[in-house]
Amino acid sequence: MHRLVVMITKTIRLLSRVSEILAGLLIASNLAVLLYGVAARYLAGRSPIWMDELSRFLIIGTVLLTAGVVWIRNEHMRINLLEQKLPPKWASALKLYQWLLTVVISAAFAWYSWHYAFSVGRFTTMGLGISRTWPMLSMPLGFFMLFLFAILRGPFERKDLQL
């Protein structure tokens, strides 16, 4: 059992680091795009039409990519007053319900968004002129990562799972 916990912990750490590095690269790219747009507006009087669109896609991708990391570390915004006021047995049942809901919804959203991303492939974006599939792939990736992190952590916070 201990070996399994160590393996799960290492997997979570690796996936967290990869997600954070990718999110950092997306944020840095977004900063570069925004600075370019500001400089172009200041120097040339107008910014490129694709700048706003690319910035929006980068922000959405960053949020979706880090959703699983934030969830597994319990750093997301939530109110757990009810969990604190309930008897331990009922609080555990509520936590199990929340976990099941997270697993089911993230899996369903990953599946549906995967199909949606490829269903819009024949359309192009207005500013960038690329297939809409590319920016839409951040949705199934983000929801799948949330699903994977939820499955790896399990329904209850564990003291032996050191992140």
Side-chain angles (χ1 to χ4, degrees):
M1 184 66 174
H2 178 69
R3 292 177 88 159
L4 180 62
V5 171
V6 170
M7 187 176 76
I8 289 172
T9 303
K10 285 182 179 181
T11 303
I12 289 171
R13 283 184 185 153
L14 176 68
L15 289 174
S16 295
R17 284 192 184 116
V18 168
S19 293
E20 288 171 332
I21 289 169
L22 290 174
L25 290 172
L26 290 177
I27 287 175
S29 300
N30 191 26
L31 180 62
V33 167
L34 290 173
L35 288 174
Y36 174 76
V38 169
R41 188 173 296 132
Y42 180 73
L43 297 174
R46 63 187 179 104
S47 62
I49 191 169
W50 53 264
M51 189 211 66
D52 289 335
E53 188 175 74
L54 180 57
S55 177
R56 190 175 324 116
F57 291 150
L58 290 170
I59 290 171
I60 292 168
T62 302
V63 168
L64 287 168
L65 192 58
T66 57
V69 176
V70 171
W71 187 85
I72 200 154
R73 292 184 182 159
N74 207 18
E75 294 175 347
H76 55 293
M77 184 182 283
R78 66 187 214 124
I79 300 172
N80 62 353
L81 181 66
L82 190 57
E83 293 170 17
Q84 294 172 354
K85 298 294 181 187
L86 287 174
K89 184 177 179 180
W90 286 100
S92 292
L94 180 61
K95 288 177 185 177
L96 178 63
Y97 169 74
Q98 292 169 347
W99 177 77
L100 284 171
L101 201 58
T102 301
V103 168
V104 169
I105 289 175
S106 61
F109 279 24
W111 189 81
Y112 284 117
S113 60
W114 176 262
H115 291 285
Y116 175 74
F118 286 100
S119 73
V120 296
R122 64 182 177 273
F123 303 108
T124 59
T125 62
M126 293 281 258
L128 294 168
I130 60 171
S131 170
R132 290 193 58 85
T133 295
W134 290 108
M136 291 300 138
L137 282 175
S138 66
M139 289 190 313
L141 177 63
F143 286 118
F144 177 73
M145 292 297 287
L146 178 59
F147 168 78
L148 188 59
F149 278 123
I151 291 294
L152 287 171
R153 190 186 87 181
F156 305 107
E157 291 185 46
R158 299 182 351 223
K159 305 287 186 244
D160 59 351
L161 191 63
Q162 298 295 322
L163 301 176

